[in-house]
Amino acid sequence: QEPKAGGAINAVIQPEPPGLMLAMVQNGPVQMVSGNIFEGLLRYSPKLEPQPELAESWSVSEDAKTYTFKLRKGVTWHDGKPFTAADVLFSLEMLKQTHARARNNLAQVDKVEAPDDYTVVFTLKQPFGPFLGIFEVGSMPMVPKHLYESTDWKTNPYNNAPVGTGPFMFKEWQKGSFIRLVKNPNYYEKGKPYLDEIYWQIIPDAAARSVAYETGKVDVLPGGSVENFDVPRLSKLKDTCVTGAGWEFFSPLAWLWLNNRQGPLADKRVRQAVMFAIDREFAKDVIWNGLGKVATGPSASTIKYYTDDVPKYPYDPAKAKALLKEAGYKGEKIRLLPLAYGETWQRWGEAVKQNLQDVGMNIETIATDVAGGNQKIGDWDYDIAFTYLYQYGDPALGVGRNYVSSAIAKGQVFNNVEGYSNAEIDKLFAEGAVATPDSKRKEIYEKAQKILVEDVPVAWMLELQFPTIMRCKVKNLITTGIGVNDGFKDAWLDK
Amino acid sequence: MKQFWKSMLRSPSGVIGLIILLLAISVALFGPMLFPNSPWRMVQRPFLPPFTLATVPLGTDALGRDVFAGMIFGARVSLLVGMVSTLVALVVGVPIGAMAGYFGGRVDDALMRFTEFFQTIPSFALAIVLVAILQPSIYSIVASIALVSWPPVARLVRGEVLSLRTREYVQAAVVTGQSNTWIILREILPNTLSPVIVLASLMVATAILLESSLAFLGLGDPNLISWGYMVGAGRTVIRQAWWITVFPGVAILISVLGLNLIGEGLNDALNPRLSREGR
Amino acid sequence: MLSFVAQRVAKGVIVLLAIVVLNFFLIRLAPGDPAVVMAGEAGASDQIFVQQLREKFGLDKPLPEQLFIYVKGIVTLDLGFSFRQQAPVAKLIGERLPATLLLTLTAFAISLVLGILFGTFAARFAGTFLDTAITVFALIFYAMPIFWVALMSILLFSVTMDWLPSFGYETVGANLSGPAHVVDVARHLIMPAMTLGLFFMATYTRMTRASMLEVKRLDFVKTARAKGLSDAVIQRRHVLRNALLPVVTLAGVHSGTLIGGAVITETVFAWPGIGRLMYDALLQRDYNLLLGVFVICSAIVLIFNLITDLVYRLVDPRIEFST
Amino acid sequence: MTAPPAVSVKNLRIALPKGAERPFAVDGISLDLRPGKIVCVVGESGSGKSMCAHALMGLLPDTVTVTSGEIQFEGRDLLKLDDECWRDLRGRRLAMIFQEPMTALNPLMRIGDQMAEMFEAHGLLTPRERRAKALSLAREVGLPDPERIVRAYPHQLSGGQRQRAMIAMALALEPAVLVADEPTTALDVTTQAQILKLIRNLQRNRNMAVMFITHDFGVVADIADQVVVLRHGKVVEEGPASAVFNAPQHDYTKALLAAVPSMDPPARSPLDDQAKAVEVIGLDKTYVTSGGWFREDRRVDAARGVNFNILKGETLGLVGESGSGKSSVARLVMRLIEADRGTVRIGETDLTKLAGKALRAERPRIQMIFQDPFASLNPRRKVGHIVADGPIAAGTDPKVAFDRARDLLKMVGLDAGALERYPHEFSGGQRQRIGIARALALEPEIIVADEAVSALDVSVQAQVLRLLEDLKARLGLSMLFITHDLRVAAQLCDRIAVMQRGVIVELKPTAQLFAAPEHAYTRELLAAVPGQRERAPA
Ligand SMILES: Nc1ncnc2c1ncn2[C@@H]1O[C@H](COP(=O)(O)OP(=O)(O)OP(=O)(O)O)[C@@H](O)[C@H]1O
Ligand SMILES: Nc1ncnc2c1ncn2[C@@H]1O[C@H](COP(=O)(O)OP(=O)(O)OP(=O)(O)O)[C@@H](O)[C@H]1O
Ligand SMILES: [Mg+2]
Ligand SMILES: [Mg+2]
């Protein structure tokens, strides 16, 4: 079908982003909106293969230490200035200070050079397997040097009216109501984008969001913007299409932090009992409405080097009880911290509590909001806590950080909060990141997965799927592994 | 006392209110005995419509939990929160109002500024912040509701005391040499009782609404089921399962209504003018 | 009268300052650190990053110093900078305030006008079926939780009947102007305002009714009848005016409740006002923004109170302009 | 020969709702109002006076029903009128003045507007003419500065001025009949005298028929042409004023007349040789009502340089019109309020120097009897407690205190069962006795009685006064007796102090004061006492 040009899309954005300057703030909603305004050097297919965006082509040296990117010519910023290698160098400098994930990713980089206006060369300290996976717009957005250089970034006026190279330009933002983007007429890919406008509607209440879709006020509900309970009903509406695609890069994985340091959960058998006690199929079918997949271990199945050749933990309360008895658990109080991200998570917390109580664990739910929960987790002041984290396509980027002992640090809320410390695992992840070739990495990561699943440092729950719901007339909305966050440049309306 | 019950029972609203309240209280007290199962337990398939199975007469919620059991256990929490927080508010508000009204002058000024201060902050907003700060639990909820609801008590009591203080029988107590404490406790406070009781009955109603609003925003005690929690939890699925929100909503409505009717009845029974005319 | 206003304003400023100081500490008592929240949202929360954020927002300074900086700002009418939204608090509140004022004032007006109207009817026909009906409805409205009413009315008017939009302030993307825009906003306003106003309407109905019945018994009503005045004139000129005094007082007291109730209404109807802003700021521990909202809300309440006092004093000649 | 009656009430019977103290508020009353004559309806509280008046105006409360009778007026039976006709008659042909001038005026409307409403109600005149008319009416009833007063609100007027405004209203349309329901009861004597004179003059000039309701025989004596005595809703005696006064037929009338205290002070032996029980030296008290930060304060001098003493066994009367500061002096003496300056000495103790516990210890020596028998007893405490609380607070053993309370109640004429009952179960006179028992329970040396009998019906008043006198003699008490009723003062007091605007202008033995008042204010006060005509046969 031939794409048609024109028309406006109304999408929901939840919660309201705190800003749109992607290099400065990197929340989910910020990425979702500014993924249209800013661009990265690469984007990734649903299989997570790199694809050109601002970089036309790239090559890797023999020793896997030098990466050379050729930039696309004729790209201009929304204000008409040309985009060049100088912008790339500036962006990397800025991101190192404002973008925590970019800084970590770039830690392996020894130096970056621009031999000419359209070439950028990265030299690594040592080979780094996942290096080609860090150039997506959310991980490394390009910033206009001419607008930001030698200004106070924090108060730069362009934070409120961001200027990028992307297919859409910022137009207006009625706080609490909507954000409006309009087509970039000078976009370098001829004919794109097809849409004239995008309205991001801000509707704080989940029920109100689904009503807004139902009554035709919005056309797109990006993943996670309505409660799961509503998905089946909305999917059945006329002219409605649902897709689970677009989460391959992030591959969100939900698990329970188990505090390995103290209390009953310091005992591996109790942790295993938790795995056996929780009915994860029920959670998937009832709470997540059949969306997603029961997790088998620390890696989501969409991530490189995933293996399901690991110990299995089916729902088996009897076994859980036996393990608890064996471990000598005597009904000590165990504090459960649900995730304050809406009704689905709350229901899940209640179901897990019930599961654990059924096998004789004495669970007390601690209610907090997101901030309070973070504080408790950061202070290691919990026994069991819900979380879900992105995996970013490669175990070296999104998996290892949760299990290596070097990532233990009080005060932060991700990265090995459980306090798991195993020298072998530390070694495996250290080797895996720099090992070549691929087969070697595969071997290392499979071994790590087996050890981890046996030890149960955390209780893996589900590979989450956040379905995107939209009117069927919206075509080509999701074309990459980054999904809605990658901009609507291919999307068009079949009127 | 007999007089009081007689006039109370003469007002139809008072009678209806009393019946409703008694019903709610007995449900709260005895319901859980008849329903030993935890209301959190998943007993049936999710979203079972009401009136289909005798074991779960009001259907099940999103996790397959019994809505009827939730209603019964919820009565306990809602009524408890309503009554305890009202009591606490009275315990704070009555002495402050009494002291302000009785001693007047600077004491009055200081106490009333203090009260005003609490009244100036929008009460629901303050309650939200307090619960968030103290972390949601039945204690913090009761404390927050009490903290935002005592100022009207203090003001009412102060006003009453202010007018009672100049009554001749209070002066009589002064000239017969009784102490301030005694005068406040024996001569003044008993005579502020009627309006305070009327106000208290309305405060219980308001507190139930407040608790439900907090629970609706996700600031309820996660270990206790309440009507407000049920409405809040059911609101996202209101389209496919109306019963999860409607039944507890109606329960809130009816108990608040009952308390209001009692307030009305009390007003009739305790209003000196009305009861004097009856005499 | 001018001096009365000046005096009240002076007192109000003192109360506001007290509120600032108390809330400053109160809010910081809440567990949770804004820097961690923001880092968490950014998907990265290593220590360096969090520390950077703290420094950026001055959260690493000792509390008294932070308070001093804040109060210094307040005195120069600067409400500070929102960490999370990366914008001056005054600007953020300014963007939302009109919507809240529109909502609360409409709700207030609706509830007052309808409440007095129904109350008058009920009192006029006391004891009849009309009176009973009004009283019963008022009681029911009074007893319904706001959020429940909101949900039910969305179900009824937006989903089932499709009469009214269920969320927002205006039709986004419609680019309306002039009267069409006003109509559009009004259509969006009806449900939230009614929901918010219903409780207060019920209150005023009951209050007006009771107060009118009370005033009816007073001697001067008898005087008016002895003059041979018609019933309508007696009701309007003698009974209603006197009966409204307590309603006015109550209405002033309600301003705080009204703004508080707006939190829920704004959430359910996606109304872009400060109630919602406050709730989000609380969840994100956006201290300055939260404090700013509190200060503004309290200021609004104080202004409301002042206005009702003035109205009261204008209506009732017995009260002199003193405190 | 007398003119035909303007209004003729025949056999009027008004039923009270079930459960009331008696079945009929008014039980078969007949009376005629004639043009140019004043008919006074007298009787004690609850006798049905107001009911009669309201029936005449068609303003009976909904709770009562007229069961029989007729009221003839201008050829029509008023009881059969519909609302529309009533509205036309009220104000235009029949007008009424109420007892409480404060509450009878709408507090939110200007006086002038309320007057103009009279015309508006009957569709007369243009708004401008109405205003002009209101002004001239204000002038006619003698309101000072009428231009200002028509623009004033009721609360800005004194009681007397308000009552004048009410009268102006009632007279606006020159009605044929004027009904006045206790129009002067709420006013002090001097103002009362002025208002009575005004009503009388206006009535004469306009040849109105007036029904004047009062319970004060003095007032009756001053203005009545015809008297109707009511009791329990029935007419017990009726006739020309002179006949009723000089030759009362019915026992009840006789008792009522006998209960009216006389203006002749009885002879009393001087007490000069007694010691001083109370000594008051240079008391000053100024009330300051704060005007807030930017306004001037309002100041009222309630006592200025008040000096007096009371000897052992003596009764000192304190008289003066309303607001003159009598109660303030009483409260200063009782230390219920603080004096700005001055000393109160009881025996040798300086009360003004004491505070807290020490003050409480001295309090039993001086006790008070309050004005309002309803307001002065805590409705939620049993009578036994009310009487015994004081002694118990002073350290008496509760059992002893209750025994004594029983004795005291017996002494004031109440049976022992009273101990266990609540105040509302007693009549006004009985309650005042309880108040007296409470004051005596502490065995005081001095009693301060502030208007202790003013709220009581004359007959009850007489009983209580007798009781007081008796107790005083038996217990050897000293008493400060505050009243605005000079007749009562004449009967009870050894000496009388006259107070005006916070100053004692004259203090003399009673007989001397009545015989030769020196100060102009005292003379004015004495002249204003109603009913002094009574001795002159009509
Ligand atoms: N609204 C009413 N409803 C029922 N009974 C009433 C009402 N008003 C008065 N009464 C009763 O009617 C009787 C006569 O009352 P009325 O007011 O005529 O007495 P009164 O002679 O005017 O007394 P007072 O001197 O106290 O004014 C009393 O027993 C009183 O209790
Ligand atoms: N608490 C008070 N504050 C301000 N002014 C007062 C106060 N009490 C009394 N006054 C004023 O002081 C003056 C004297 O009052 P007081 O009550 O002593 O008079 P009174 O002679 O007892 O009058 P009445 O016969 O009406 O009882 C009055 O003008 C009164 O308005
Ligand atoms: Mg009367
Ligand atoms: Mg007095």
Side-chain angles (χ1 to χ4, degrees), chain D residues 392-415:
Chain D
I392 293 174
T396 312
D397 177 70
K399 215 174 123 23
V400 178
F402 278 109
D403 285 345
R404 182 156 162 69
R406 190 171 296 117
D407 294 345
L408 278 167
L409 287 172
K410 202 177 283 162
M411 195 196 300
V412 298
L414 294 172
D415 61 55

Side-chain angles (χ1 to χ4, degrees), chain C residues 53-54 68 104-105 112 161 165 177 180 203 209 221 228 235 271-272 318:
Chain C
L53 285 174
R54 284 212 187 96
F68 179 73
T104 45
L105 287 179
L112 207 55
M161 315 237 230
S177 61
T203 316
R209 176 180 179 275
V221 178
Q235 292 289 341
W271 190 261
R318 283 167 294 185

Side-chain angles (χ1 to χ4, degrees), chain A residues 114-186:
Chain A
D116 62 59
D117 266 3
Y118 296 98
T119 309
V120 180
V121 180
F122 292 80
T123 310
L124 307 191
K125 295 170 184 155
Q126 55 188 329
F128 183 48
F131 189 69
L132 267 185
I134 65 167
F135 292 96
E136 161 268 343
V137 56
S139 310
M140 198 191 284
M142 289 300 122
V143 187
K145 176 179 179 185
H146 62 284
L147 299 180
Y148 276 82
E149 192 175 32
S150 59
T151 64
D152 179 2
W153 299 337
K154 196 175 96 179
T155 57
N156 191 309
Y158 290 99
N159 290 349
N160 297 322
V163 169
T165 57
F168 292 91
M169 306 191 296
F170 175 81
K171 181 72 183 179
E172 67 173 321
W173 184 353
Q174 297 259 318
K175 286 284 163 69
S177 284
F178 66 90
I179 300 169
R180 180 176 167 211
L181 306 180
V182 296
K183 175 176 183 160
N184 175 1
N186 304 318

